[in-house]
Amino acid sequence: MNIREIHLNDAKDLSSLIQQVDESSEYMLWEPGERKISQDHQEKMIESFLEKTNSTILVAEVDDELVGYLLAMGGNARRNKHSAYIVLGVLQGYRGHGIGTGLISELERWATKGEIHRLELTTVVSNEAGVSLYKKMGFEIEGTKKRFVVY
């Protein structure tokens, strides 16, 4: 497994990966087929992340195939630019094999270099594997949003 920062030429593969994760995970915000991500849109998003010092996209590769991603969106205001909100997705066949742990570990190294002092995320309580991973990586539950998503 190789974990690295995104390149602009990864746009097509990242679009496909995000779509596949949306289709195979009951815990992502977007339901299967609910959003379409064009390569052009993905390229613009990657460019905007690469322009910011407090945002990044990390990808995990196995045999030159993208199998996981982590988006870290840094705050836009002076008061919250030290924090980043993260979204993590791993292909179904690769879940439970250390991809999420590797992505978060690399994010922590990146955050330390970039003076990011707070990483935050949201998941549903029933996502037991995700909650377990996040707790293992040092995240704490700060609150519960009731009726945030509907199943």
Side-chain angles (χ1 to χ4, degrees), residues 57-94:
I57 302 173
L58 301 175
V59 292
E61 296 176 305
V62 173
D63 297 328
D64 296 322
E65 175 190 2
L66 296 187
V67 298
Y69 66 91
L70 189 152
L71 285 70
M73 297 160 272
N76 293 319
R78 188 180 64 78
R79 290 184 174 178
N80 76 342
K81 67 185 219 174
H82 69 283
S83 69
Y85 181 82
I86 69 173
V87 175
L88 175 73
V90 176
L91 275 180
Q92 188 170 22
Y94 293 89

Side-chain angles (χ1 to χ4, degrees), residues 13-128:
D13 292 338
L14 181 62
S15 294
S16 176
L17 173 61
I18 290 172
Q19 299 266 229
Q20 290 176 66
V21 170
D22 284 353
E23 291 170 8
S24 67
S25 174
E26 62 186 292
Y27 302 117
M28 300 307 279
L29 179 61
W30 299 95
E31 292 182 1
E34 192 173 4
R35 67 175 165 172
K36 301 286 186 242
I37 305 169
S38 70
Q39 184 174 342
D40 183 54
H41 176 270
Q42 199 68 65
E43 287 173 357
K44 288 177 181 164
M45 185 187 78
I46 291 170
E47 286 174 341
S48 74
F49 272 70
L50 294 175
E51 290 171 358
K52 298 177 183 176
T53 59
N54 67 341
S55 296
T56 192
I57 302 173
L58 301 175
V59 292
E61 296 176 305
V62 173
D63 297 328
D64 296 322
E65 175 190 2
L66 296 187
V67 298
Y69 66 91
L70 189 152
L71 285 70
M73 297 160 272
N76 293 319
R78 188 180 64 78
R79 290 184 174 178
N80 76 342
K81 67 185 219 174
H82 69 283
S83 69
Y85 181 82
I86 69 173
V87 175
L88 175 73
V90 176
L91 275 180
Q92 188 170 22
Y94 293 89
R95 295 177 193 150
H97 298 305
I99 305 286
T101 299
L103 285 164
I104 293 172
S105 294
E106 184 59 31
L107 178 68
E108 289 173 340
R109 283 189 282 281
W110 169 86
T112 301
K113 293 178 196 172
E115 299 184 19
I116 299 294
H117 306 289
R118 177 180 171 80
L119 298 171
E120 57 187 59
L121 58 89
T122 302
T123 192
V124 294
V125 175
S126 59
N127 181 1
E128 294 176 9

